[in-house]
Amino acid sequence: TFPNFYRTILPDSFFNAAWIAMAKALGQTSVTAVIGETENWASMGSILARAAVDQGIELKGHDLTSVIGGFKGLLVSLDLKADAGKAAEELVKLKQRVVILLMFSARSRLVMCEAHKRGFANGVFMALGWLSYGWWAKASDTECTPAELTQMATGMVTANMMFWRSDLSTVLSCFASMTADDWINEWFKRQGNTRPDLSRTSYGFLPALEAGTTVDAICMYATMLHEVLINRGMPLSELTGRTEAGYAAVQDVFSNIDFEGVQGRVKFEPGKADPKGSVIIQQFQPGGALLDVASYNHPVMTFLGKGDLKFQFENETFHAGPFGATTISGSLTLYSPCPTGQVLDFSTNQCQSCRENKEFVESAGSCLCIAGYYEVGIGVCAKCPSGSFSASAGTLQCKLCEAGKWSAEASTSCPFCPLGRYTGTQGTPTCKECPLLNEGLHTTEAIASESL
């Protein structure tokens, strides 16, 4: 920890304010966040909550402040379909266009798949930008196809550290007369690739953008050594001997470091071990392109003018520029509110009545299978088989009729067997007729008989 630790790479916690700022730039006043297990993600959730308050954005969802300070949202603690399904059901109820995913790729895929299965569509997901490209389409751990998951991810906005500065003509402090653009070209050349190809090289490894932060770390140490040993004339023995004077000199230089690096201007805020750097905002667009949209250096969003933001509904193409612009003209369409008794078709953003064999249940806020039916799959209703029943809407499993009762299919109750008929087992579709014994007519003593 500070002051014994410095780094030139931004922590993920910086992404929270960038996501909130992007949602605000798109005209949103509220968002929903889905968060992973609190052991790993509670600090991110708390920082997101503070960023939302600072920027006037409301977090929608369950009150989780008892486990995550100030946080409201949805919790998915395990990589399980059931947990993701519960969060997906809440997304349908909350109807928020922007959904921030505070979790790793596998769980994010599960949430997106379960939301798709429940009809949630055209949401703008926001996620970690350092996850490998195409993480959303690895469908082996979900019940959705790669095409379905890609459709859910289209329009997604990601946040990552800005590894390469946008003003590429800037001369780097640690390289005589070399600009950032020159350095990037030379780096690609030494990988054996051509810019901007980040595929596996002939040497067998994948080029990593973290090379930019690594070279800035080297520059930071070189700057410190030059200042301490050359400019201040401190003996090398003070550093190799780890003396208090040597340590104080190193700390003084690091805390006041300020130079032009590959990722941008490198400097630290007082008492902070993290650089005051920029977050890069990107969008996964229709067709698979990944567009550099903006850089965010709290509290300013600067659009790069490299193209248009493209979302799913009509008239949702907004120019992310010109270069240097701090706002854009355009707001995401809100999901339509529906009158009681109707539900939203997220694909068209239009309200509709419940489909056949379903009815609207206000407490659930959705259409459920009517009494006499049960749910055999998400959104699919089937008749209760003969010998069983369901008494209320939303049944997941029909109950068997008791002995002495029977039912036809799609029943909402089980009537008693009449006089002269009986059934000795549960789940019977019909009552048996009393047999003749020694030519005499036999009957039951009462209705609902279980035997002769």
Side-chain angles (χ1 to χ4, degrees):
T1 58
F2 180 86
N4 303 307
F5 168 83
Y6 284 87
R7 57 182 166 189
T8 55
I9 190 168
L10 290 180
D12 293 354
S13 57
F14 281 44
F15 302 163
N16 292 289
W19 285 320
I20 294 294
M22 192 65 206
K24 190 171 184 177
L26 292 170
Q28 304 303 287
T29 59
S30 60
V31 302
T32 291
V34 188
I35 193 168
E37 68 280 4
T38 55
E39 293 87 349
N40 291 325
W41 296 96
S43 61
M44 282 286 282
S46 296
I47 294 170
L48 181 72
R50 290 197 297 271
V53 171
D54 290 345
Q55 300 187 50
I57 297 293
E58 182 182 3
L59 294 183
K60 294 282 192 177
H62 298 153
D63 187 348
L64 300 174
T65 53
S66 62
V67 289
I68 305 173
F71 184 82
K72 286 186 177 181
L74 308 176
L75 177 63
V76 182
S77 296
L78 299 169
D79 290 340
L80 295 176
K81 183 179 75 171
D83 287 15
K86 291 177 182 178
E89 290 169 1
E90 291 301 313
L91 289 179
V92 170
K93 295 177 184 177
L94 291 169
K95 296 182 182 177
Q96 294 295 304
R97 279 301 302 277
V98 172
V99 179
I100 299 174
L101 299 172
L102 297 178
M103 55 184 65
F104 296 123
S105 56
R107 202 165 304 174
S108 295
R109 276 193 300 275
L110 274 174
V111 170
M112 292 168 72
C113 177
E114 293 303 309
H116 167 75
K117 288 161 59 178
R118 287 159 176 77
F120 185 81
N122 300 321
V124 179
F125 290 97
M126 294 189 176
L128 299 167
W130 51 259
L131 297 174
S132 60
Y133 178 87
W135 61 263
W136 51 85
K138 297 177 181 178
S140 59
D141 52 5
T142 74
E143 296 177 352
C144 294
T145 66
E148 289 169 337
L149 289 168
T150 298
Q151 179 62 31
M152 290 293 286
T154 299
M156 178 172 59
V157 172
T158 63
N160 199 1
M161 177 176 176
M162 196 163 188
F163 292 103
W164 295 337
R165 63 192 306 149
S166 57
D167 49 344
L168 295 176
S169 61
T170 301
V171 176
L172 302 178
S173 297
C174 283
F175 297 86
S177 72
M178 179 177 273
T179 65
D181 195 52
D182 295 334
W183 186 91
I184 294 169
N185 287 331
E186 181 66 20
W187 180 74
F188 271 106
K189 178 181 176 182
R190 296 192 184 193
Q191 312 311 306
N193 287 5
T194 56
R195 184 175 176 180
D197 182 12
L198 291 171
S199 61
R200 192 174 299 277
T201 72
S202 59
Y203 304 109
F205 62 83
L206 290 169
L209 295 177
E210 285 80 1
T213 61
T214 302
V215 76
D216 284 347
I218 294 171
C219 181
M220 180 174 166
Y221 270 87
T223 300
M224 178 273 294
L225 290 172
H226 186 272
E227 172 64 24
V228 172
L229 300 176
I230 305 302
N231 294 348
R232 300 187 185 185
M234 177 173 281
L236 180 60
S237 59
E238 294 283 355
L239 300 184
T240 58
R242 301 185 180 183
T243 66
E244 290 188 11
Y247 181 81
V250 171
Q251 287 292 332
D252 180 58
V253 175
F254 278 169
S255 63
N256 292 288
I257 206 82
D258 189 353
F259 66 88
E260 297 295 349
V262 173
Q263 61 184 296
R265 188 174 177 181
V266 179
K267 60 187 301 185
F268 296 86
E269 293 183 351
K272 301 290 186 181
D274 298 317
K276 185 174 172 57
S278 296
V279 174
I280 181 72
I281 301 293
Q282 296 176 303
Q283 187 193 34
F284 176 61
Q285 299 200 304
L290 196 63
L291 175 71
D292 290 346
V293 175
S295 66
Y296 181 78
N297 197 320
H298 186 71
V300 180
M301 179 82 73
T302 304
F303 291 92
L304 304 178
K306 292 187 175 182
D308 295 337
L309 283 160
K310 298 177 182 179
F311 299 100
Q312 305 282 22
F313 289 134
E314 188 177 357
N315 299 321
E316 283 194 331
T317 297
F318 316 126
H319 183 55
F323 179 81
T326 56
T327 60
I328 56 175
S329 58
S331 296
L332 292 174
T333 302
L334 299 180
Y335 287 127
S336 299
C338 294
T340 301
Q342 291 192 324
V343 293
L344 182 66
D345 181 341
F346 286 88
S347 63
T348 62
N349 202 26
Q350 294 182 349
C351 299
Q352 61 182 17
S353 299
C354 296
R355 296 179 181 177
E356 186 179 7
N357 299 323
K358 287 190 171 187
E359 66 179 73
F360 184 82
V361 178
E362 190 168 359
S363 59
S366 61
C367 295
L368 303 179
C369 298
I370 60 175
Y373 285 68
Y374 71 108
E375 190 173 288
V376 293
I378 296 173
V380 180
C381 301
K383 297 176 181 179
C384 287
S386 300
S388 66
F389 73 103
S390 67
S392 59
T395 297
L396 299 179
Q397 185 175 0
C398 301
K399 294 182 179 179
L400 295 177
C401 295
E402 299 173 352
K405 296 182 178 181
W406 69 282
S407 75
E409 66 176 6
S411 292
T412 59
S413 63
C414 296
F416 294 119
C417 289
L419 283 171
R421 293 180 179 272
Y422 74 99
T423 174
T425 59
Q426 64 178 0
T428 303
T430 58
C431 298
K432 296 179 181 179
E433 188 175 7
C434 294
L436 295 175
L437 183 63
N438 296 327
E439 302 298 327
L441 183 64
H442 289 255
T443 186
T444 55
E445 295 181 353
I447 63 171
S449 292
E450 300 177 16
S451 62
L452 291 172

